[in-house]
Each structure stands twice: as structure tokens, then as C-alpha cells.
Amino acid sequence: MRVWHYPTREAWALARMASDTIGASEVAAVLGVHPQMSAWDLWRKKREGIGVEQTSVMGRGHRWESAVLADYSDASGNKVVAPGDYFGHPGELITVANDAFLWLRSSPDAFAWQGDTLGHVEAKTSLHAGAWSPDKGVVIEKWDDAFASLIPPHYSVQAYSQLAATDMPWNDVCALVPEGGWLGVRWVRVMRDVPTQQAIVAAAEAWRLAASRKAASAPGRSPAAYKLLPRPM
């Protein structure tokens, strides 16, 4: 695993603009299932330096991240550790990549120890509780289209991309959602699924090479596009 560390969010955001990389959260745009970013938006970001506008929802997500992780730790019993602390750079933002495909970058929200096993944790906020599993800690061993009712498709793409980048055994994708008249944290555990991860990485790599030739393209934003995900032959 290759690791980069950044002292400020501004430095981290600037690195994400690099034209020869794709972030794990951006891969869903390549597959046509990202709700805020199209493949064309991503191409303009990478080739022309035109970023997707930061919305108030995105900003709120960053501010609530520590609360989501704290509630997850309490509910799951897993010990959360900041990536900067884990890699010896306390307080800094971390980006990692698999040595086999350094162009795919992941910026983990957190890691978590479950016993002696270290896994990945992603923190989200959502007003749509119905888009998430009603149960905490549901495990997805291997992707099937039916699981799209347990976790929003673009987040599952991100989760598998992060597992590909980190080679970790699982990714707990957490969401702070309306629950019982207030707010509650739910999470879905996405297990390492090599065929699915390979299919996603291959699609992202093909798009990256096409984009480098100024020929950006991707499936339309539709359920059919999402079926690119899981189908090893």
C-alpha cells in the first residue's frame, strides 16, 4: 500500500484534482450511478480543473463525521482509529493506493479494530433512512443486485473501490439517518469481494485511459448501468 499525507484539507483537495488519478468516491461517476457527479463532470474536473461545487450537504457531512464514527464505535464495539494516527501522521488527512494500480486513490474516514483485524470505515449522513438497511451491521459477503436496497449504489461502488485500494478484509459503511424521532447510526459491512472489485477497477481504468485521450464516456445514470458491477464470467 502506498500512503500520502496532507497537513490541510486544502492540500488534500488539490491532490484529488490530479488528472492521472481517480478517487474511490468518484468511481460511481464512471459507472453512471453517482447522484451528484456525471462522468462528464469528472472529466472536466480531471482535465480542466473544474471541480464539482461543494454543497451544504457535503459540508455538513464533514462536520458530522466524528459523531458518526463515535456512535458507530459505541454501537459496534470496534475501536476506531484515525488514518493519520495509524500511519504516524496525527491530525493529517491520508490518501492510500494499491501498488498494483496507483491511479485509484482512497481517502479513508477511519479504520477500526475488531479484535486483531483491522478494517475500513466510511462515515456518511443521509436524510433518507429508507435507502439503508433497517438493521445495524448487516454483512454483504458477495454483491448481488438485491443488496441495492441495503446501501445506496454509489456508496457500495465507493466501498468496493476502497477495499481494492487498501486490500482490507471489510468496509463498514455507516450512515447517520433519521431514526425514532431523532438520529441513529446504521452500518452495512461490505466484505472483500475480489471479482466485484476487479470489475470495478477494470471499468474505471478503461474510462481513465479514454479520458486521457479526451474521449470521456460512461454508461447513462440508470439501474442498467449499475449491472456493470458484479458479473464475473
Side-chain angles (χ1 to χ4, degrees):
M1 186 190 303
R2 194 77 58 89
V3 180
W4 296 263
H5 56 97
Y6 306 96
T8 66
R9 183 165 291 276
E10 290 73 21
W12 168 82
L14 182 62
R16 281 173 56 88
M17 299 289 285
S19 62
D20 59 343
T21 67
I22 299 177
S25 63
E26 298 169 333
V27 176
V30 173
L31 294 183
V33 294
H34 197 298
Q36 283 93 37
M37 183 190 301
S38 68
W40 175 243
D41 292 331
L42 181 59
W43 185 87
R44 296 186 73 197
K45 175 181 177 181
K46 297 298 183 181
R47 305 303 299 178
E48 300 178 0
I50 301 174
V52 175
E53 183 179 355
Q54 180 82 0
T55 67
S56 61
V57 173
M58 294 176 186
R60 186 162 58 248
H62 291 312
R63 292 192 294 273
W64 281 78
E65 186 176 293
S66 59
V68 176
L69 294 172
D71 282 4
Y72 159 78
S73 182
D74 289 344
S76 67
N78 297 337
K79 182 180 179 181
V80 171
V81 56
D85 292 344
Y86 179 79
F87 288 113
H89 298 282
E92 297 192 349
L93 292 169
I94 298 295
T95 297
V96 301
N98 191 311
D99 286 313
F101 30 87
L102 291 173
W103 55 267
L104 177 60
R105 306 290 174 88
S106 174
S107 299
D109 288 340
F111 300 137
W113 289 103
Q114 183 173 334
D116 296 329
T117 302
L118 184 69
H120 191 290
V121 184
E122 188 66 20
K124 306 293 185 183
T125 59
S126 176
L127 294 176
H128 306 292
W132 296 84
S133 168
D135 301 315
K136 299 178 179 180
V138 169
V139 177
I140 297 177
E141 293 281 356
K142 184 174 178 59
W143 183 258
D144 184 274
D145 288 349
F147 295 136
S149 64
L150 304 180
I151 177 174
H154 61 297
Y155 288 148
S156 61
V157 172
Q158 180 179 356
Y160 282 121
S161 299
Q162 290 167 328
L163 289 174
T166 61
D167 203 30
M168 287 186 167
W170 48 262
N171 192 346
D172 281 352
V173 185
C174 311
L176 183 69
V177 298
E179 186 175 271
W182 183 229
L183 299 172
V185 170
R186 305 175 189 171
W187 68 95
V188 174
R189 174 162 293 187
V190 179
M191 300 298 294
R192 181 195 290 131
D193 178 353
V194 173
T196 295
Q197 292 166 207
Q198 288 176 337
I200 292 172
V201 171
E205 170 72 341
W207 183 90
R208 185 180 73 91
L209 293 174
S212 70
R213 298 189 295 269
K214 299 186 178 181
S217 61
R221 185 181 299 166
S222 67
Y226 192 46
K227 294 183 182 297
L228 284 175
L229 251 177
R231 300 292 183 270
M233 299 302 292

